[in-house]
Amino acid sequence: MAAELRRLRDQADLTQQEVVDATSINKATLYRIETAKAKPQKRTLMTLLALYNAEPEQRDYLISLLKDSTVQGWLRPYHSELPEEYTAFISFESDAAGARNYESLFVPGLLQTEDYARAVIRGVLPAATDSEVEDRVQARMERQDVLTKTKPIKFWAVVDEASLRRGVGGPGVMSDQLAHLTKCAKAPNITLQVIPFGAGAHPGMPGQFILLDFADPMDTDLIYIDSMAGDLFLESAADVRRYRSIFDNLVAVALSPNDSASLIADIPKRS
C-alpha cells in the first residue's frame, strides 16, 4: 500500500507538501503512511485516492488491502526505537518474493550470526547504548525469518572478498560467521557469490544496496540503500533498471557459487 500510494502521488506530480495543503492531512501522518510505518484510516485513503485521480481498479485494490490488513508480525514494541526508514524496510522485506543484495564491507544482514551482528552494530554505532545495540541485533535476527518461512524469500547475495576478510568481532566470531555462510549457501533459496580481490575494480565499489521484488505485479520493485547520509528508497523505473544492470554486472564479475563456497572455506586455513 505504501509503495502504491507513493507511486500514485508521483504519477499525479504532487509533492508531499502539496498533498498536505490540498487535504489537510498531517505531513507526519502522510510520511508514516508512505513509509509503511502506519496504515491509513479509510477516510484518509479515500481522500488520497480522490486527489490522485486513481483508476477504479487501483482504488478497489487499495481498499481491499486496507480491509484485509493486519498488524505485521515483524512489528515488535521495541521497534519504535528503530529509525522509521529501517522499520519500513523490514516491512517491505517481509513481503518481498526476492531480494538481491550486494555488500562491499559487511556480511549481508540476512546471513549474519548474532555475535557478528552485535560486533558490527557496536562498531558502526559507537555512541549507541547497550539497549539500543540489543534492539538492533534482535531486529536483525528476526529479519532472517524470511529465509525459512513457508514461502521463503529467494535471496541472492554478492559480496566483496573484503567483507569476509575483515576481522569483525575477532577470530572466533569470524570463524563462526564463515561457517554459517557455508551452511546458508547450501539452502535452495539462497545464492551466494564472492567477488575476489583479483577481480580489480568493479561496479559495486561505491557501496551496498538491496533490490527487492514482489510477487504481486501491482507492487513496484524497490531499492534500499543504507549509507552514512541516511537510508534511501528508490523505486522509479529508471533506478530499478540501473541497479538491476549493476547487480547483473556484479554477478558476472563474481566467482560462481561453487567457487565462492571454496573461497569461503579456505579463508580460515590462511588466517
Side-chain angles (χ1 to χ4, degrees):
M1 180 180 293
E4 185 66 6
L5 285 174
R6 291 197 306 275
R7 189 187 68 79
L8 287 172
R9 177 170 62 78
D10 289 341
Q11 185 175 286
D13 197 23
L14 294 171
T15 65
Q16 284 189 339
Q17 188 59 53
E18 287 171 335
V19 172
V20 169
D21 293 341
T23 64
S24 296
I25 295 173
N26 183 276
K27 189 171 184 178
T29 298
L30 180 62
Y31 172 81
R32 289 168 64 84
I33 290 171
E34 290 195 350
T35 57
K37 182 70 173 178
K39 68 178 181 179
Q41 296 182 355
K42 185 174 181 179
R43 63 175 178 272
T44 301
L45 176 61
M46 297 303 292
T47 298
L48 292 174
L49 294 176
L51 179 65
Y52 300 156
N53 293 316
E55 298 291 335
E57 181 181 354
Q58 294 170 319
R59 187 187 303 266
D60 292 344
Y61 171 68
L62 289 172
I63 291 173
S64 69
L65 276 184
L66 182 63
K67 185 184 300 183
D68 296 339
S69 64
T70 57
V71 176
Q72 292 283 349
W74 53 265
L75 190 58
R76 304 288 190 268
Y78 63 80
H79 281 197
S80 62
E81 303 302 320
L82 300 175
E84 289 191 0
E85 292 86 352
Y86 185 50
T87 56
F89 167 69
I90 294 174
S91 170
F92 295 138
E93 185 181 56
S94 69
D95 288 337
R100 275 162 281 190
N101 185 186
Y102 166 71
E103 294 286 350
S104 58
L105 296 175
F106 304 99
V107 169
L110 290 183
L111 304 181
Q112 291 179 6
T113 65
E114 184 171 334
D115 287 340
Y116 178 95
R118 185 173 291 108
V120 162
I121 293 166
R122 285 192 185 282
V124 172
L125 302 173
T129 65
D130 289 346
S131 177
E132 290 169 339
V133 169
E134 291 308 312
D135 282 351
R136 285 176 176 264
V137 170
Q138 185 64 23
R140 190 160 300 180
M141 294 301 101
E142 288 175 2
R143 280 178 54 204
Q144 296 178 5
D145 289 344
V146 299
L147 295 172
T148 56
K149 62 184 180 179
T150 303
K151 291 185 177 180
I153 195 170
K154 293 182 179 179
F155 186 58
W156 193 344
V158 176
V159 301
D160 193 284
E161 186 175 349
S163 67
L164 308 177
R165 299 283 185 181
R166 183 170 297 278
V168 173
V173 171
M174 282 308 300
S175 178
D176 290 344
Q177 178 61 73
L178 293 172
H180 183 64
L181 285 177
T182 297
K183 179 181 177 181
C184 288
K186 296 176 182 178
N189 60 309
I190 297 175
T191 302
L192 176 61
Q193 293 180 255
V194 179
I195 299 177
F197 286 143
H202 59 76
M205 292 178 72
Q208 65 83 36
F209 63 90
I210 300 175
L211 174 59
L212 300 176
D213 59 77
F214 303 87
D216 193 322
M218 294 289 286
D219 291 334
T220 57
D221 289 353
L222 185 69
I223 297 137
Y224 174 70
I225 300 171
D226 178 10
S227 73
M228 293 184 70
D231 296 358
L232 179 65
F233 291 105
L234 304 173
E235 57 183 327
S236 71
D239 284 329
V240 170
R241 283 195 303 270
R242 181 161 61 92
Y243 276 88
R244 281 183 181 276
S245 177
I246 291 172
F247 193 84
D248 288 344
N249 275 278
L250 294 172
V251 167
V253 171
L255 298 174
S256 70
N258 285 340
D259 289 343
S260 296
S262 296
L263 184 150
I264 292 170
D266 195 50
I267 290 176
K269 302 174 186 177
R270 297 178 178 272
S271 298

